[in-house]
Amino acid sequence: MSAPRMPIESGVPDPFPFMHPLLKKNFGEWSYHDRPRPGVLRHVAKSGDQVWTVRAGTQRQMDLYTIRNLCDIADELAEGHVRFTMRSNIEFMLSEESKVQPLIDKLQAEGFPVGGTGPSVAMISHTQGWLHCDIPGTDASGVVKALMDELHDEFIKEDMPNRVHITTSCCQINCGGQGDIAINIQHTKPPKINHDLVANACERPTVVARCPVAAIRPAMVNGKPTLEVDEKKCICCGACFPPCPPMQINDPEHSKLAIWVGGKHSNARSKPMFHKLVAAGIPNNPPRWPEAAEVVKNILAVYKEDAKDWERMGDWVERIGWPQFFEKTGLPFTKYHIDNWRGGRANLNASAHIRF
Amino acid sequence: MAKKMHDTPMLDQLESGPWPSFVTGLKRLAKDNDMMVDLMGQLETSYRTRKGYWKGGTVGVVGYGGGVIPRFTELHDENKKPLFPAASEFHTLRIMPPAGMHYDTATLRKFCDIWEKYGSGLIAFHGQSGDIMFQGCTTDNVQPAFDELNEMGFDLGGAGPAVRTGMSCVGAARCEQSCANEQKIHRTLVNAFLDDMHRPALPYKMKFKVSGCANDCMNSIHRADFSVIGTWRDEMKIDQNEVKTFIADKGRKYVVDNVISRCPTNALSLNDDDTLDVDNKGCVRCMHCLNVMNKALSPGDDKGVSILIGGKRTLKIGDLMGTVIVPFMKMESDEDYEKIEALAGEVIDFFAENALEHERTGEMIERIGLVNFLEGIGLDVEPNMIASPRSNSYVRMDGWDEEAQKWFERKAQA
C-alpha cells in the first residue's frame, strides 16, 4: 500500500493571482470613492484609474448552478474577477462605466438584487441553522431569505439614515455576531435531560464547568451517573447542550426569538457598541417567521423616520434615550430589560439625567 | 435521475419572493443528486418539528486534526436506519479563501467541478468563520475532495480549539481609507501558526482579524482574539479646496450637523472661509469625518496598526470586546512583520499555558487581569490601554515608586 498523500500546508492563499488587474495595479494607491447609484461603487486611484464595483446579494448557500451562472455573468458582462463581502454579497469589478448598466440589467434579470451599499439595509449575516449546525434552535438561511424578501426594497435603495447591519443567530452563542438589529434564539426553559444517555455521551466535569451560573452538578438517576440542573439557578442559555447532547435545550415551543438593537462594529463617532435587548418571546415560526419580521420592520421604520443622517441604530438610541425608543416603537419595557449579569450595574442610570 | 423528491411544503414557501432562494438552489441540485433529495427531506422535517437533527463526530483528512465539520443524521427509524440515508453523512470542508476574498471565475468553476464530483454541490461564500464552506460530503469523499482542493493551492481552515481562519478587509486593494497591507498582515499571522490551526491543541479558539481602518469592516474588535486595525499617527491630510467644494455642494448646515458636531472629541472646527481645522492631538482616528468627506480628508502618511486583544461572542461569561494592548506599531519593513508575528506567538504561548479549557483570551484576561497578561507577554503598560484609571482603592500599591520610575525611564528613552 502506498503512503497516504500528506497535505500541502499552504495556508491562506495569496490574493494577488485572483485580483482584478486594476486592483492589483493600484494596490494601496486609492484616492477616493463615490456611489453613482445604489449597489455601485466608483473608486478612483491616484493614478487616475477608475474601477466600478457592482454589488449584488446572494443566498450565500449557493448551488453550483448559481455559482456557474454568476461566473458566466462575470465572464460575459464583467471582467472575470469577483470578490465576496463578509455579508455574502458578490462584487464584480469593471474598468469601464459603460459596462455597469448592462451588468446590473443582467444580474436583476437573473434574480440577483443589486444594492447593499451606503445607507441601505445590508444582507443579513447569519449562521448555519438546521441545514448544518449540530445545536441550532432555528434555521438560518430560511430566516434570512424570509426577512430579505421583506427588506428587499431597503437593500436596493439607500434610504436609511446610515447603514443597517442585521444579524441572526440560531443559538445564544450568537455566531451571527453583533448587529444594528440582531435576531437571536432565546431559550426559556431549562434543558430536558435524557439521564440514560448522559454517562456515555458526556464528559461530565466539562459540562459542569461549561455552565455560566454553576447550576449543573453530578447526580445518580436510576443507578446511573448523570447530571442534574438546579432549575432555580438555570438561565436557559444552552451552554451545556453542545458538550452534552442529552441535555436538550431546543424546544419547538419554548425556544423563542429575541431581538436586540444598537450593536456596531465601527469606531466611527462612538466606540464600538454591543446590541441591547429590546424584544423577546417571539415565536420561532418557520417557514417565514412573520412575527419576527414585523418587529424588525417596525423598528426599522421608526429608525428611518426618526434618526438623523449618519446615525447608526445605536447612535440614534443614545441620542433619543431608551424611554423614547420604547415609546416610539411601542415595544413593552419589562424587568428582563434590566441587566443583572456581572458588570450590569454599569447599564443602570446612575445620574439625575431623566428624559420626560 | 435521482430518487423521488420528498414533499417539502414548508421549504416550498421559501421559493417565492425577490431575494435569491437557497431552496430553489437545493431543488436544482436534487434533480440528479440523491444526497440533496434527502437533505431536503431532513431540512423539511426540521421546519415541521422545529428541531435540529445533526450530530458531530470525527472526520478528517490525513495529516490534519481539524478543518472538517462532521455531520451525521440523527433521524432514524425504529430499526436505527437513517430516514434520509443519502444525506446521513453531510460533512463540511472549511477551506480558507484568498485573503480579501478575491476570485477569478476559473477558480470558482474549478471549485464547482470538484464539488460536483465529490460533494453535494452546495457551497457557501462564506461562513461567519471566514471560510469557504463546501457543504455536504460523505466521509469517504472528504479526503479526495480535500486532495484536489489542496492541489489547487487551497488549504483547510480552523475548527475546534485551534487558530482559526482569519479575515481581512478588501483594504489596500480597493479602499482609500486603508492604513495597512491588510492581506499581508493576515497571511503573516495565520500562516505563521498553521500548526496550531491544523492540529488543534489550544484551550479554545484563537482568531485573527485585520481591518485597514477604524471602520473595522471585519468586526475584529467584537469577534477576534487578536484584532489588528490600521491607523496613522501624524496629521490627517486635508485638501482644503475639496473641503470648500464639499461645503458648496452640501451646504454649511449639513457640514456642521454631520461632520463638525459629530466628531467624538470636538477636534474639528469650520473656519469662516469654509476651510477646516483639525486638532490632530485630540483626534482619535474614528474615521467619521473621513467617511463623510472622503475626497477632502485622508489618513496621514505615518501609518501603522493598533492591536486589541480579547474580543469574543457570548459563551461563557458574556460578550467581550477586544481592548488595546498595542496603540501603534509600524507595519512596513520585514522587521515590523517579524515583530507582529513574534507578538502573536507570545500571545498564543501565554494563552496555551494559562487559559482554562474552553476559555477565550478575553475571558482569561478578565480572570487574571490585563496587567498579568501584559507582563506575561512582555508589554509595558500605557494609558491608551484604558478608558479610565481604576476607580476603587482595593489594590496593593507598595511597588509604586519602582513603577513610576519605569514610566519616567520609558519616557526618557522614547
Side-chain angles (χ1 to χ4, degrees):
Chain A
M1 197 176 136
S2 62
R5 176 190 177 276
M6 294 308 284
I8 303 162
E9 209 153 351
S10 48
V12 189
D14 180 354
F16 284 96
F18 305 96
M19 219 180 262
H20 187 280
L22 282 181
L23 269 49
K24 215 182 306 190
K25 179 186 164 203
N26 296 289
F27 190 86
E29 297 294 330
W30 295 94
S31 178
Y32 67 95
H33 82 277
D34 54 21
R35 300 189 310 276
R37 54 151 283 168
V40 180
L41 308 168
R42 180 182 69 122
H43 286 89
V44 180
K46 290 172 187 164
S47 67
D49 286 345
Q50 303 184 57
V51 64
W52 284 264
T53 299
V54 176
R55 182 180 291 175
T58 74
Q59 61 270 54
R60 187 176 87 150
Q61 250 80 20
M62 283 183 275
D63 59 295
L64 45 89
Y65 303 103
T66 297
I67 300 167
R68 285 172 178 155
N69 188 18
L70 289 166
C71 288
D72 290 343
I73 295 170
D75 286 337
E76 286 160 26
L77 291 156
E79 293 162 2
H81 293 270
V82 299
R83 64 176 298 274
F84 287 88
T85 70
M86 71 177 308
R87 305 183 84 82
S88 305
N89 301 304
I90 188 166
E91 293 184 334
F92 301 82
M93 275 63 70
L94 306 169
S95 60
E96 291 166 43
E97 188 176 13
S98 61
K99 293 180 179 173
V100 171
Q101 194 57 46
L103 175 60
I104 291 174
D105 293 342
K106 177 68 173 172
L107 285 166
Q108 287 172 339
E110 295 291 318
F112 298 103
V114 172
T117 51
S120 63
V121 174
M123 165 61 166
I124 300 171
S125 78
H126 62 287
T127 53
Q128 299 277 43
W130 289 326
L131 182 73
H132 200 261
C133 185
D134 58 340
I135 56 170
T138 187
D139 198 28
S141 321
V143 185
V144 169
K145 158 69 178 155
L147 271 163
M148 287 312 291
D149 278 344
E150 302 260 357
L151 301 175
H152 175 258
D153 244 28
E154 303 297 353
F155 178 85
I156 62 169
K157 293 177 184 162
E158 293 185 347
D159 278 351
M160 286 286 160
N162 199 342
R163 69 196 67 226
V164 179
H165 287 169
I166 302 180
T167 68
T168 70
S169 291
C170 326
C171 77
Q172 286 181 230
I173 294 172
N174 189 207
C175 299
Q178 296 287 323
D180 291 284
I181 302 178
I183 307 149
N184 297 350
I185 278 283
Q186 183 82 21
H187 305 294
T188 62
K189 299 288 180 198
K192 288 191 184 120
I193 306 171
N194 184 338
H195 291 292
D196 292 337
L197 300 180
V198 170
N200 283 334
C202 317
E203 196 180 320
R204 292 188 302 152
T206 302
V207 184
V208 169
R210 197 68 57 88
C211 179
V213 293
I216 302 174
R217 58 197 170 214
M220 295 290 281
V221 174
N222 300 328
K224 285 183 184 164
T226 182
L227 295 165
E228 65 182 9
V229 170
D230 180 343
E231 297 200 350
K232 281 209 171 66
K233 284 166 88 176
C234 177
I235 50 172
C236 313
C237 70
C240 50
F241 179 52
C244 190
M247 299 181 76
Q248 179 59 258
I249 190 71
N250 292 312
D251 184 295
E253 180 63 33
H254 298 295
S255 294
K256 302 285 192 183
L257 295 171
I259 292 184
W260 309 67
V261 310
K264 163 176 166 292
H265 301 104
S266 169
N267 293 260
R269 302 167 304 282
S270 45
K271 290 181 179 179
M273 293 188 242
F274 286 136
H275 52 227
K276 288 98 181 165
L277 176 71
V278 294
I282 299 162
N284 177 20
N285 195 3
R288 284 201 167 263
W289 293 269
E291 299 86 354
E294 272 318 299
V295 178
V296 169
K297 281 180 355 189
N298 172 34
I299 294 168
L300 278 174
V302 177
Y303 164 70
K304 187 175 176 178
E305 172 71 28
D306 202 60
K308 296 179 177 173
D309 283 353
W310 295 97
E311 273 180 342
R312 290 283 291 268
M313 186 84 64
D315 297 326
W316 165 62
V317 181
E318 288 210 335
R319 176 171 60 80
I320 66 169
W322 288 102
Q324 275 210 73
F325 174 87
F326 286 100
E327 187 67 35
K328 285 173 190 285
T329 56
L331 293 167
F333 182 78
T334 71
K335 66 179 181 180
Y336 299 110
H337 291 101
I338 297 178
D339 194 351
N340 62 352
W341 191 243
R342 66 187 77 164
R345 211 178 151 78
N347 292 330
L348 304 182
N349 183 8
S351 78
H353 293 198
I354 311 282
R355 286 176 163 94
F356 298 103
Chain B
M1 271 304 286
K3 65 195 276 187
K4 191 174 167 295
M5 295 277 281
H6 305 283
D7 283 340
T8 53
M10 295 191 91
L11 291 174
D12 293 351
Q13 293 178 54
L14 289 171
E15 286 204 90
S16 57
W19 197 259
S21 171
F22 73 104
V23 173
T24 305
L26 298 182
K27 284 190 176 176
R28 268 194 295 261
L29 291 170
K31 276 184 197 142
D32 53 7
N33 178 333
D34 286 352
M35 180 186 262
M36 292 317 284
V37 173
D38 274 1
L39 185 273
M40 290 193 70
Q42 168 149 339
L43 189 57
E44 176 74 14
T45 309
S46 283
Y47 269 63
R48 201 176 63 241
T49 61
R50 304 182 186 184
K51 283 169 139 179
Y53 296 104
W54 298 112
K55 66 174 177 188
T58 311
V59 177
V61 299
V62 172
Y64 286 172
V68 178
I69 311 296
R71 290 292 176 255
F72 298 92
T73 186
E74 285 189 300
L75 274 173
H76 296 98
D77 63 16
E78 58 276 18
N79 301 316
K80 308 247 177 200
K81 288 265 190 320
L83 283 177
F84 300 103
S88 63
E89 297 170 353
F90 197 77
H91 315 313
T92 284
L93 275 76
R94 287 185 174 171
I95 295 286
M96 287 190 279
M101 296 172 174
H102 301 269
Y103 298 96
D104 55 36
T105 52
T107 302
L108 294 175
R109 289 181 199 278
K110 222 165 156 189
F111 284 162
C112 289
D113 294 345
I114 292 171
W115 207 233
E116 190 166 31
K117 193 159 139 199
Y118 297 111
S120 72
L122 189 67
I123 311 178
F125 290 96
H126 298 83
Q128 288 292 334
S129 62
D131 293 287
I132 315 164
M133 297 190 296
F134 289 83
Q135 298 189 298
C137 194
T138 60
T139 306
D140 286 346
N141 277 350
V142 164
Q143 185 71 50
F146 167 71
D147 287 343
E148 289 203 18
L149 291 165
N150 194 212
E151 291 294 335
M152 277 178 75
F154 288 82
D155 200 359
L156 276 184
V163 166
R164 294 298 193 88
T165 301
M167 290 176 90
S168 52
C169 61
V170 66
R174 203 200 54 201
C175 182
E176 68 275 9
Q177 315 285 37
S178 165
C179 294
N181 187 338
E182 301 82 2
Q183 61 85 27
K184 185 171 175 186
I185 300 170
H186 170 182
R187 295 182 69 230
T188 298
L189 291 171
V190 173
N191 290 352
F193 302 101
L194 291 174
D195 190 37
D196 282 316
M197 168 176 281
H198 292 137
R199 284 159 280 273
L202 295 175
Y204 198 22
K205 57 183 96 167
M206 161 61 73
K207 297 187 178 183
F208 294 103
K209 294 188 197 289
V210 185
S211 290
C213 77
N215 283 316
D216 195 8
C217 292
M218 291 297 100
N219 307 346
S220 67
I221 295 178
H222 278 141
R223 300 190 77 118
D225 296 278
F226 194 107
S227 155
V228 183
I229 308 246
T231 189
W232 70 95
R233 61 181 172 182
D234 57 343
E235 299 191 343
M236 79 162 76
K237 292 189 196 169
I238 309 174
D239 182 333
Q240 296 290 6
N241 285 329
E242 288 294 343
V243 172
K244 287 180 186 172
T245 307
F246 188 86
I247 295 169
D249 180 33
K250 292 279 191 179
R252 301 197 102 212
K253 179 176 166 57
Y254 181 92
V255 174
V256 169
D257 287 353
N258 289 290
V259 183
I260 310 298
S261 64
R262 291 279 168 75
C263 174
T265 53
N266 298 320
L268 300 177
S269 177
L270 187 61
N271 297 317
D272 290 340
D273 63 355
D274 284 349
T275 58
L276 189 68
D277 278 348
V278 179
D279 168 14
N280 281 286
K281 281 282 176 203
C283 168
V284 289
R285 280 66 174 161
C286 85
M287 297 305 291
H288 174 73
C289 61
L290 284 83
N291 292 342
V292 181
M293 303 174 70
N294 80 74
K295 210 170 170 181
L297 306 177
S298 318
D301 289 320
D302 190 9
K303 293 171 177 172
V305 298
S306 306
I307 298 171
L308 294 85
I309 298 282
K312 58 172 280 292
R313 295 275 52 75
T314 312
L315 253 184
K316 160 182 170 179
I317 69 168
D319 295 57
L320 300 177
M321 289 192 210
T323 69
V324 173
I325 64 158
V326 177
F328 188 85
M329 186 170 180
K330 283 302 273 187
M331 206 45 64
E332 281 173 4
S333 64
D334 290 348
E335 292 73 42
D336 295 335
Y337 281 86
E338 282 162 22
K339 214 171 125 193
I340 199 170
E341 186 183 318
L343 176 66
E346 291 285 345
V347 170
I348 291 175
D349 286 349
F350 187 87
F351 173 62
E353 281 169 29
N354 293 282
L356 304 175
E357 193 215 335
H358 216 261
E359 191 176 55
R360 292 283 290 272
T361 49
E363 289 167 310
M364 173 188 73
I365 292 168
E366 176 84 1
R367 179 169 55 80
I368 68 173
L370 181 66
V371 170
N372 280 326
F373 174 71
L374 293 172
E375 285 175 357
I377 61 168
L379 284 182
D380 294 321
V381 298
E382 85 117 284
N384 269 312
M385 293 174 180
I386 58 167
S388 71
R390 72 166 59 243
S391 56
N392 84 57
S393 66
Y394 285 178
V395 57
R396 182 169 166 172
M397 289 198 268
D398 46 2
W400 178 271
D401 289 345
E402 294 83 33
E403 293 301 318
Q405 190 57 38
K406 283 186 203 166
W407 166 260
F408 289 120
E409 281 165 14
R410 286 203 301 277
K411 293 281 280 183
Q413 278 169 14

